[in-house]
């Protein structure tokens, strides 16, 4: 398997200043997988669903070339549900409902042909679940990346640090980097976090772009200045999906290529926010992606 | 005159989490002039001082090649004084004292040899004072740029819009752009502001970099991720000084060259914040500046 993605699949209820949906497919693994499918085949998804999930959506993922053998369906349970409302600036949101349902007992089992994955992306899950996945891998992957969130820093910092020590790339946002490190300066925070294990750290700053810290290098990718952000849900996961999908496609984990991967992740995230949920990501063309990449080049290119 | 700079000169009292100074030379014109002096000679300063100003500091400006014929000294008054305290994140500050003193009646008179300036930079002042300067110019400059602040939007929006309509470049921060336009999205805000007159708009986002909007183009320059920001005072003015100084040096106002100018402005601002007030800007070498520019190139350069 080229890329194994582990994470939640969900139903989301979303309210933004521009509209509202009561129930739409979401979840980290969904966004990551859908986005990565534009770059590479041979993607395996590991997740858990209840009896209420939309089977048509699973078919859509398969039509994109995603293997779903790792997606367990629990006939007696319901799918994870999250509901949130964005504030007017779209940078902050209130979580209104979190029903873990089958995600609460998620105990991922990698199918045999996932255990030799070249690339592994661990979406935000409890650090214990994330590390249990790493332990099932039989051949060292080229790269393991993980996402996490402040919630796990609050209640399971020990487990979290152990899991972080097992991965190559940690992908978090600026607030999480500050909480994890105890440092306000992102440069200092990065050094402290990299000492926890990961060779690479990506700090996402939402509309302010993202920073990639390597062993002795830093790269900054802007976010595309957008006229309108319709729904930010899933933008971070989409970013991670573009990053990992591009690396899985190119099989090159040099810093130079990671820079490109971050630009691709940023471009994909800029699509994601244009419509509710995964809608925009379901129907992209490679020409649209290329054109958007061109916008990033224009945005930052200068000669001295 | 190559570059005429109009703005406040001041004493500042500054408290940051790292230290405190009771009285140090500051003011927009000081930062802009000092910074621009690394790029071009033939700079004229227009400002007003009280009888208490540090004459040694005026000499320092002259030693940097800055003409101070336009600096009026009022023997009966005191110099503008500002005192502020930065919060721990250094992104926000409280103004503790504002004593306008001689700045309250500032009625700038351009010396004759300033009236044919190629480049004019209007630091933050009342819009009426800014426009009175523009009216004294006898030969249309290559470029007039201005800064302003939310205070003038609150109390003198009509005057402000009139002044904005007279300039080529408006340089403001993101909050100011939102207030001036009434739009949260910076892309929409930019369009509305450019319709007010300026062909170019620079939106400064502090540690998140700066955006340059041209007629049909956008450029984004990051801020350098810094280990420590010691004192942010004057960073925005230093940015403007680097931008205008570079343009005055190169005499090229194409969008491509403005991009370079913004990178130079950003590099100079990254020096400014390393020490209190203008201290770091007083003693820079061209080699240090070149080296810092190299850091910006490394930070954003990628190939697709």
């Amino acid at each position: 398997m080229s890329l194994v993605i582990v994470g939640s699949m969900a139903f989301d209820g979303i309210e933004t200043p521009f509209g509202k949906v009561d129930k739409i497919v979401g979840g980290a693994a969904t966004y990551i997988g859908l986005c990565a499918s534009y770059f590479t085949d041979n993607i395996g998804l590991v997740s858990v669903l209840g009896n209420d999930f939309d089977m048509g959506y699973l078919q859509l993922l398969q039509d994109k070339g995603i293997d779903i053998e790792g997606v367990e369906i629990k006939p007696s349970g319901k799918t994870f549900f999250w509901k949130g409302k964005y504030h007017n600036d779209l940078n902050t949101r209130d979580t209104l409902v979190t029903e873990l349902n089958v995600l609460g007992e998620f105990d991922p089992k990698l199918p045999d042909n996932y255990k030799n994955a070249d690339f592994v992306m661990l979406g935000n899950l409890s650090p214990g679940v994330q590390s249990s996945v790493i332990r099932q891998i039989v051949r060292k992957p080229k790269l393991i990346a993980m996402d996490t969130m402040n919630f796990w820093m609050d209640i399971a910092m020990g487990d979290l640090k152990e899991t972080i020590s097992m991965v190559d790339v940690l992908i978090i946002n600026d607030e999480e980097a500050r909480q994890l490190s105890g440092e306000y300066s992102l440069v200092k925070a990065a050094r402290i976090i990299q000492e926890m294990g990961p060779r690479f750290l990506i700090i996402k700053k939402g509309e302010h772009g993202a920073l990639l810290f390597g062993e002795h290098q830093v790269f900054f990718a802007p976010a595309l200045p957008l006229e309108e952000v319709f729904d930010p849900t899933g933008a971070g996961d989409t970013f991670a999906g573009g990053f990992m999908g591009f690396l899985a496609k190119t099989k090159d984990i040099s810093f130079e290529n990671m820079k490109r991967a971050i630009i691709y992740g940023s471009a994909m995230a800029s699509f994601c926010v244009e419509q509710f949920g995964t809608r925009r990501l379901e129907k992209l063309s490679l020409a649209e992606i290329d054109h958007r990449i061109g916008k990033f080049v224009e945005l930052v290119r200068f000669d001295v």
Side-chain angles (χ1 to χ4, degrees), chain A:
Chain A
M1 198 61 75
S2 170
L3 171 61
V4 165
I5 296 162
V6 187
S8 61
M9 295 179 74
F11 284 121
D12 289 342
I14 303 168
E15 194 174 337
T16 81
F18 307 108
K20 191 178 166 178
V21 281
D22 291 328
K23 199 173 175 186
I24 192 173
V25 172
T30 313
Y31 283 101
I32 298 168
L34 204 47
C35 175
S37 74
Y38 287 94
F39 300 97
T40 183
D41 293 328
N42 230 341
I43 297 175
L45 224 57
V46 180
S47 193
V48 63
L49 296 173
N51 56 27
D52 54 345
F53 197 73
D54 177 352
M55 292 300 131
Y57 202 94
L58 279 186
Q59 187 60 52
L60 183 153
L61 294 175
Q62 286 178 288
D63 293 346
K64 295 273 180 192
I66 299 172
D67 185 292
I68 60 162
E69 193 190 337
V71 179
E72 186 186 0
I73 300 181
K74 298 235 182 193
S76 60
K78 287 179 67 186
T79 301
F80 172 44
F81 178 70
W82 174 84
K83 185 174 174 178
K85 182 177 173 172
Y86 288 88
H87 300 161
N88 278 336
D89 66 6
L90 287 161
N91 281 323
T92 49
R93 68 185 184 192
D94 294 324
T95 289
L96 304 177
V97 180
T98 305
E99 293 169 4
L100 280 182
N101 300 326
V102 295
L103 193 67
E105 308 120 53
F106 184 32
D107 183 18
K109 297 275 177 291
L110 292 193
D112 280 342
N113 62 332
Y114 287 31
K115 292 180 180 173
N116 60 355
D118 288 331
F119 291 86
V120 177
M121 174 69 217
L122 304 168
N124 171 45
L125 287 167
S126 96
V129 170
Q130 291 175 317
S131 61
S132 83
V133 170
I134 300 175
R135 289 194 184 94
Q136 293 173 53
I137 296 168
V138 295
R139 192 189 68 188
K140 190 173 155 51
K142 276 191 200 302
L143 199 82
I144 305 176
M146 73 178 271
D147 183 15
T148 188
M149 70 184 293
N150 46 10
F151 177 73
W152 307 114
M153 300 172 197
D154 292 336
I155 68 160
M157 189 61 115
D159 281 1
L160 178 60
K161 286 195 176 169
E162 192 192 334
T163 306
I164 288 175
S165 76
M166 300 163 80
V167 305
D168 304 294
V169 187
L170 178 65
I171 306 176
I172 50 180
N173 71 29
D174 44 0
E175 272 180 52
E176 290 156 355
R178 287 177 172 133
Q179 181 169 347
L180 182 59
S181 65
E183 280 288 346
Y184 185 82
S185 152
L186 295 179
V187 177
K188 286 188 184 173
R191 199 162 46 225
I192 289 170
I193 293 168
Q194 288 180 289
E195 278 166 13
M196 295 176 188
R199 271 180 302 146
F200 302 97
L201 170 67
I202 296 174
I203 301 182
K204 297 175 291 180
K205 306 199 295 171
E207 62 166 329
H208 300 303
L211 287 163
L212 166 67
F213 292 89
E215 273 149 312
H216 306 285
Q217 296 136 299
V218 192
F219 174 65
F220 174 82
L224 205 63
L226 294 172
E227 191 132 334
E228 215 142 69
V229 171
F230 189 80
D231 172 20
T233 310
D237 291 317
T238 301
F239 171 87
F243 176 73
M244 289 300 277
F246 184 82
L247 291 182
K249 172 189 180 177
T250 53
K251 303 185 197 310
D252 170 1
I253 57 168
S254 68
F255 194 80
E256 281 307 308
N257 200 50
M258 282 204 184
K259 284 157 61 163
R260 279 177 215 119
I262 290 226
I263 295 292
Y264 274 87
S266 303
M268 295 303 283
S270 77
F271 284 118
C272 174
V273 303
E274 290 179 355
Q275 292 183 25
F276 269 129
T278 63
R279 282 177 192 165
R280 188 72 179 94
L281 293 182
E282 291 165 24
K283 287 168 194 163
L284 277 171
S285 70
L286 296 181
E288 284 176 311
I289 296 170
D290 279 350
H291 183 257
R292 187 70 49 106
I293 293 291
K295 294 269 181 197
F296 276 84
V297 174
E298 269 175 42
L299 183 65
V300 297
R301 185 124 307 173
F302 66 91
D303 294 310
V304 286

